[in-house]
Amino acid sequence: MAENNNINTKDFIIGTLIGSMVGAAAALLLAPKSGKELRSDINQGAGQVKDRANDWKDTAQEKSVDWKDKAYTTGAELKQKAMDTTSQLSKSASTKTKEMTSTVKSKLNRKKSKEDQAQQAANDVAEAIEEATEELEAAKNQG
């Protein structure tokens, strides 16, 4: 919808310019003046049109420079914001990864410690059984 308005506005301005030039030329040509006066009026009108076109050109250049600067500034701000956000996310992910790694290592160490304790208990029981077996055999052989 905005493009339609821009196109319609542009078409209207172009139509207005062409219409005013045609109207001015028709008025000058149809006015009862001498050739010298007519040429003078045409030159004056052409000069005014040229001056107006230069003014519009200057305005368009100023606005385009302003828009370019605004686009550059906005782009730079968005780039910086994206970089900051990315940096924060990276730091957060790194911190969470370190925390999780530490938690997993701690749990593994506790599990390993419990397994070591269970293994030691199993070894102790095996030794006790072995000693009991030896004592029974010794008692059997003595008896």
Side-chain angles (χ1 to χ4, degrees):
M1 191 74 169
E3 288 183 23
N4 262 351
N5 288 340
N6 288 341
I7 292 172
N8 290 339
T9 304
K10 184 170 72 171
D11 292 343
F12 177 76
I13 291 172
I14 291 171
T16 302
L17 286 173
I18 292 172
S20 60
M21 284 188 239
V22 170
L28 291 174
L29 293 174
L30 297 175
K33 293 184 178 183
S34 67
K36 189 175 189 178
E37 289 176 351
L38 181 60
R39 285 190 300 275
S40 173
D41 287 348
I42 290 173
N43 283 337
Q44 186 179 9
Q48 289 174 349
V49 168
K50 181 181 174 187
D51 291 342
R52 192 176 303 164
N54 281 333
D55 290 344
W56 287 348
K57 177 193 67 131
D58 292 342
T59 301
Q61 285 177 341
E62 289 172 9
K63 287 192 184 253
S64 68
V65 167
D66 291 344
W67 288 345
K68 181 192 81 159
D69 291 344
K70 185 175 181 179
Y72 180 78
T73 302
T74 303
E77 289 172 357
L78 290 174
K79 178 182 174 185
Q80 185 62 43
K81 187 180 273 188
M83 288 173 59
D84 291 345
T85 301
T86 302
S87 176
Q88 289 173 349
L89 288 173
S90 294
K91 287 179 184 177
S92 177
S94 176
T95 302
K96 294 287 183 191
T97 302
K98 287 178 183 177
E99 289 173 3
M100 289 179 70
T101 302
S102 175
T103 302
V104 168
K105 281 182 181 179
S106 173
K107 287 181 179 182
L108 283 174
N109 287 338
R110 276 189 257 140
K111 183 178 178 187
K112 190 173 183 180
S113 174
K114 287 180 182 178
E115 286 176 356
D116 289 346
Q117 289 174 356
Q119 184 66 39
Q120 183 62 41
N123 289 341
D124 290 346
V125 167
E127 285 179 25
I129 291 172
E130 203 172 294
E131 287 175 10
T133 304
E134 288 175 4
E135 286 178 15
L136 280 175
E137 283 186 23
K140 198 178 183 185
N141 287 340
Q142 284 181 352

